[in-house]
Amino acid sequence: SLDFCLNKLIPEMFPQGMETLQQEKARGATVLLVTASPSFYLAPLENLLGIEDVIGTRMNADETGHFTGDICGDNCKGVQKPLRLAEYLAAKGDSLDFDTSSAYGDSGSDLPMMQLCQTKVGVNPRRKLKKALKSEEGAKQVRWKGKEKK
């Protein structure tokens, strides 16, 4: 998974996203990646990006520790994102501060998580999210371009 993150994911990340990540960390924010992707293969991003944690879809493992390919529980999307975030924060004895929190997303399934935060940023938002953010207080939409499209 380290090889995948280094050679596939990092090179594909939006430069504006990397800049925003650094700005969020500089302001003292705790940065979490909340994703529908299986968390086990994104775990190296914690160290590579200097983020606090990856909260993703959990996968079942057999008695030897090998992943079976089956999802453990529900896919981490839609209402599962705020539920998993709340579970994560409760386990740490922490809570989310609405007024100082930001959430970034690109699809309508990110909206339940984004609504937990004062600042909601639709990044290259898909149609459903674009429409929903128009009526959300503290929401904005940004267009990030890939490295080759600057």
Side-chain angles (χ1 to χ4, degrees):
S1 64
L2 175 62
D3 184 56
F4 174 76
C5 288
L6 276 173
N7 298 313
K8 296 289 184 194
L9 289 182
I10 298 284
E12 293 297 318
M13 291 188 173
F14 294 111
Q16 300 95 325
M18 297 299 275
E19 290 168 23
T20 301
L21 172 66
Q22 294 309 318
Q23 291 167 356
E24 290 286 350
K25 288 175 19 182
R27 77 173 177 89
T30 298
V31 178
L32 300 168
L33 173 60
V34 184
T35 177
S37 297
S39 54
F40 74 90
Y41 79 92
L42 298 179
L45 289 178
E46 289 175 32
N47 290 327
L48 293 171
L49 298 178
I51 61 175
E52 182 75 19
D53 218 329
V54 174
I55 301 170
T57 298
R58 298 178 186 128
M59 304 302 288
N60 282 326
D62 62 21
E63 58 280 344
T64 66
H66 291 91
F67 292 107
T68 64
D70 296 324
I71 291 176
C72 178
D74 292 315
N75 192 349
C76 187
K77 65 184 266 186
V79 297
Q80 285 300 310
K81 284 189 176 189
L83 291 174
R84 293 287 308 285
L85 180 58
E87 173 188 67
Y88 173 86
L89 292 171
K92 291 192 162 284
D94 207 350
S95 62
L96 189 72
D97 179 2
F98 175 83
D99 293 330
T100 62
S101 295
S102 302
Y104 297 78
D106 67 353
S107 90
S109 68
D110 293 323
L111 190 61
M113 176 190 63
M114 296 172 82
Q115 289 173 324
L116 299 175
C117 302
Q118 174 65 42
T119 303
K120 304 156 192 67
V121 183
V123 177
N124 303 347
R126 296 183 194 140
R127 189 175 346 147
K128 183 178 175 185
L129 181 61
K130 186 182 274 192
K131 182 179 178 186
L133 288 179
K134 288 179 182 176
S135 61
E136 290 288 330
E137 186 178 328
K140 66 179 180 176
Q141 299 181 35
V142 297
R143 174 91 19 221
W144 290 350
K145 297 180 180 176
K147 291 179 182 176
E148 70 287 342
K149 299 175 187 169
K150 274 188 172 176

